[in-house]
Amino acid sequence: MGHMASRSARALVSCLTAVVVLVVGGCLAGGHATGAPPQQPTTIPVGQSAQALEFGGLTRTFHLYRPDGLSGAVPLVVMLHGGYGDGAQAERAYNWDAEADSGRFLVAYPDGVDRAWNAGTCCGRPQRTGIDDVGFLTNMVASIEQQTSVDADRVYVTGMSNGAMMALRLGCQTNLFAAIAPVAGTLLTDCSHAAPTSVLQIHGTADDRVPYNGRPGEAFSSAGTPNVDGPPVPSVNATWRAINACSTPASTTAGDVTTQTAGCPDGRTVELITIAGAGHQWPGGAPSPIAQRIGNLPPPSTALNATDTIWQFFSQNNR
């Protein structure tokens, strides 16, 4: 919106934007701090719960979901919301609680500062001010491990849009995760020192916010520059194949879904799932007619259930 817009127009747009971002959590939208998880209870309650920890001078929050009857060391999935989303929105929209019930694992839904993540050259206040989201998320995982028995060989991260970009950054700059699965995101940070890890990318060919072929996205910052201007999705996948020293990928197509799978040493895999005609949404996620209308977004693709597909991928990849 231009600088000469009236206050009332700005207020209206703000209200409409809030509706969109709470439901969609898509991507419209440095430094290194120190911190340690505070003393926590020794168990995580069954069902949904909310927690906080102090890190980098900020109180950082996250939601957890623990299925009933978990015992022993269990897997942990970290689900990162998109720009303008939050952990509660991601928990509602992407069906990970139900997946955890059937797959028998914990899910963490962290909250970004001002509904965004510092994924490198995007997004929002975290990127502008150098918020250390790598440090926060590393500390969050440690905090959860202090409260319950987590299988360190089965810790995974996935994300939507800005959250997908953050998942890629975590894969590049930590060794916490046995596998990562970005949805509708691209690589916006240095990855030259990444350790080998399994990667599954899911992306639609009609995504205009994070374009599949790498042109600047059609969502802009307050300064008028594109929020996302990263490499093409296939080239990000090629980067991860090189990191993992993978073989040439094999490709299969079923309907609108094309899957490229590359085998890598030590049982790792790098995959790219391309959905023809799909836009900037979580495939198989909860539709939102209001968000689709106000945000000019397509409905989520029904050609693939991204949550089921990602958990199947995760469950086959241990450290």
Side-chain angles (χ1 to χ4, degrees), residues 89-293:
Q89 169 268 324
E91 188 169 19
R92 291 192 304 271
Y94 305 139
N95 303 316
W96 275 102
D97 287 1
E99 196 74 34
D101 285 334
S102 59
R104 315 307 296 155
F105 58 89
L106 292 165
V107 191
Y109 303 93
D111 297 311
V113 172
D114 285 359
R115 301 180 181 272
W117 302 105
N118 179 6
T121 59
C122 180
C123 296
R125 175 186 162 197
Q127 186 272 330
R128 291 194 308 271
T129 62
I131 296 292
D132 184 10
D133 280 323
V134 171
F136 159 56
L137 293 165
T138 300
N139 269 244
M140 182 195 72
V141 171
S143 173
I144 295 167
E145 289 174 338
Q146 288 179 358
Q147 298 178 68
T148 192
S149 183
V150 172
D151 186 341
D153 290 333
R154 294 188 293 167
V155 179
Y156 310 102
V157 62
T158 183
M160 167 65 191
S161 188
N162 181 204
M165 301 166 206
M166 190 67 224
L168 284 161
R169 183 171 193 174
L170 289 167
C172 292
Q173 298 179 0
T174 76
N175 59 1
L176 278 177
F177 301 100
I180 64 175
V183 176
T186 189
L187 182 61
L188 299 175
T189 193
D190 176 61
C191 209
S192 59
H193 301 293
T197 190
S198 292
V199 177
L200 166 63
Q201 291 174 261
I202 299 176
H203 215 104
T205 61
D207 191 331
D208 62 356
R209 312 301 166 92
V210 185
Y212 185 84
N213 290 319
R215 63 180 173 79
E218 295 182 11
F220 296 87
S221 70
S222 58
T225 57
N227 277 329
V228 179
D229 187 2
V233 172
S235 108
V236 175
N237 203 250
T239 295
W240 281 104
R241 292 199 305 269
I243 291 166
N244 283 280
C246 304
S247 61
T248 301
S251 181
T252 60
T253 298
D256 291 331
V257 179
T258 297
T259 303
Q260 295 182 355
T261 304
C264 318
D266 299 320
R268 290 183 293 272
T269 57
V270 173
E271 295 188 18
L272 171 59
I273 295 179
T274 302
I275 307 175
H280 193 70
Q281 292 272 31
W282 182 278
S288 170
I290 294 175
Q292 289 158 207
R293 182 173 67 253

